[in-house]
Amino acid sequence: AYFAFQSIDWSADSQEIFFVETLEGADGMDCRIFSVSRNGGTPRPIARTGKTFVYDLATLPDGSGFLANAFDRDAGLQQIWYIGRDGAMRHITHDLSQYQGLSMTRDGRQILSSQVERHSALWVVDRENPASAKLITESGRRYDTPTWAHDGNIVSVRFEAGTRMLWTIMPGGATRPLMQQSIVDLDPHACPDRDDIVFSSARTGAYAIWRVRLDGSGLKQLTPGTNDRYPQCVAGGTVLYWVQTGNRRTGMQIPLDGGTPSPSGPLTPNHPHT
């Protein structure tokens, strides 16, 4: 399906209209910038950002390119970019904040956007005693989707300098990276009956489901990588997960030790995110 005209801007001489159009297909997202005359006619392709989704577009006064508020896949956040007419992109912002909206002064020298910062921490609390809540991670960090592992430690995604890494948090608060070369790892889930973690990772391209032991060894890719997300490890050695194809999600399952994926039938993984 097309999501047309999600961002529109005039050229400096008001003779052209630039707009962003995105095609969502079986291979994922394809985002492009087009131009059309103010008098109508056939839209003309200008630049292609591919899988980088553009939320807001502003045309530079000299017509050399655009400023954009676009999604940074590495950071998992919206950032401000420069986009040339050849589609080349470079960061204007590249940090742990998220930017919403984009406006530019008439001379193109200043940008206005809303900066949104997010900090999160992990707490442990006795379910029978709410007053026992204890902070176990340092302030100023961002942790997501924690899972309590079989060995009593916690594994969580930590955002670190534009990367999303799996970290182990011990009961006393000590932390360490689960793997030394993590880059784009998400959605950890601990197996209830063994020392394994399953997670989704884009380390080889599209998201696939992976397995690793709690000491960081035994790293193994389980699924072929067709945008596979949100794994759940169930007792007995089965992994449930979603395959995202366009706007369609399909529940699948695969043995923890690897094998051929199959439909999950009545067992479908919960979707932890909106």
Side-chain angles (χ1 to χ4, degrees):
Y2 277 101
F3 300 93
F5 315 126
Q6 69 246 27
S7 183
I8 304 172
D9 194 31
W10 288 95
S11 62
D13 60 7
S14 299
Q15 297 304 305
E16 292 180 283
I17 300 171
F18 296 99
F19 65 92
V20 179
E21 187 175 81
T22 300
L23 173 65
E24 184 75 21
D27 295 331
M29 182 185 304
D30 187 11
C31 195
R32 303 185 186 197
I33 301 171
F34 289 85
S35 168
V36 65
S37 169
R38 65 177 297 167
N39 298 316
T42 302
R44 179 170 56 95
I46 300 296
R48 181 179 182 180
T49 63
K51 295 183 183 300
T52 303
F53 188 88
V54 176
Y55 295 89
D56 297 285
L57 187 75
T59 309
L60 289 170
D62 63 2
S64 62
F66 310 90
L67 298 183
N69 185 332
F71 189 75
D72 186 330
R73 288 170 57 84
D74 291 335
L77 300 167
Q78 293 169 223
Q79 297 286 309
I80 307 299
W81 301 74
Y82 165 79
I83 304 175
R85 280 182 168 261
D86 59 356
M89 299 183 65
R90 63 174 173 82
H91 285 98
I92 294 177
T93 65
H94 194 205
D95 52 42
L96 297 181
S97 298
Q98 176 170 300
Y99 295 86
Q100 295 180 348
L102 176 71
S103 184
M104 182 171 53
T105 55
R106 187 181 298 274
D107 62 7
R109 293 181 178 276
Q110 292 182 298
I111 304 167
L112 179 66
S113 182
S114 296
Q115 184 185 61
V116 180
E117 293 185 351
R118 176 184 170 189
H119 300 287
S120 58
L122 299 183
W123 294 70
V124 174
V125 60
D126 188 329
R127 66 179 182 180
E128 303 294 338
N129 180 18
S132 68
K134 178 184 178 182
L135 178 66
I136 62 169
T137 56
E138 68 272 36
S139 61
R141 298 288 186 180
R142 177 179 169 184
Y143 289 90
D144 281 340
T145 57
T147 182
W148 217 307
H150 188 244
D151 63 358
N153 293 326
I154 296 168
V155 174
S156 177
V157 177
R158 178 167 134 174
F159 283 66
E160 185 79 19
T163 65
R164 290 164 284 182
M165 302 173 61
L166 299 186
W167 280 66
T168 299
I169 300 96
M170 300 162 201
T175 63
R176 61 174 173 82
L178 179 60
M179 294 169 287
Q180 294 300 320
Q181 295 182 340
S182 302
I183 298 175
V184 190
D185 297 338
L186 297 172
D187 316 319
H189 191 267
C191 295
D193 56 349
R194 61 194 71 197
D195 289 337
D196 290 285
I197 294 285
V198 293
F199 61 99
S200 55
S201 177
R203 59 180 58 213
T204 59
Y207 279 101
I209 305 303
W210 293 68
R211 181 202 73 191
V212 68
R213 296 190 178 92
L214 293 175
D215 62 2
S217 66
L219 180 64
K220 181 176 182 178
Q221 183 174 344
L222 300 180
T223 66
T226 53
N227 203 11
D228 309 329
R229 295 290 305 274
Y230 310 117
Q232 289 189 354
C233 184
V234 298
T238 298
V239 180
L240 309 177
Y241 64 98
W242 286 116
V243 175
Q244 180 87 34
T245 305
N247 293 325
R248 180 183 176 187
R249 294 191 182 107
T250 304
M252 300 292 288
Q253 64 182 10
I254 194 169
L256 182 61
D257 292 326
T260 302
S262 62
S264 61
L267 292 175
T268 56
N270 296 321
H271 196 314
H273 301 292
T274 56

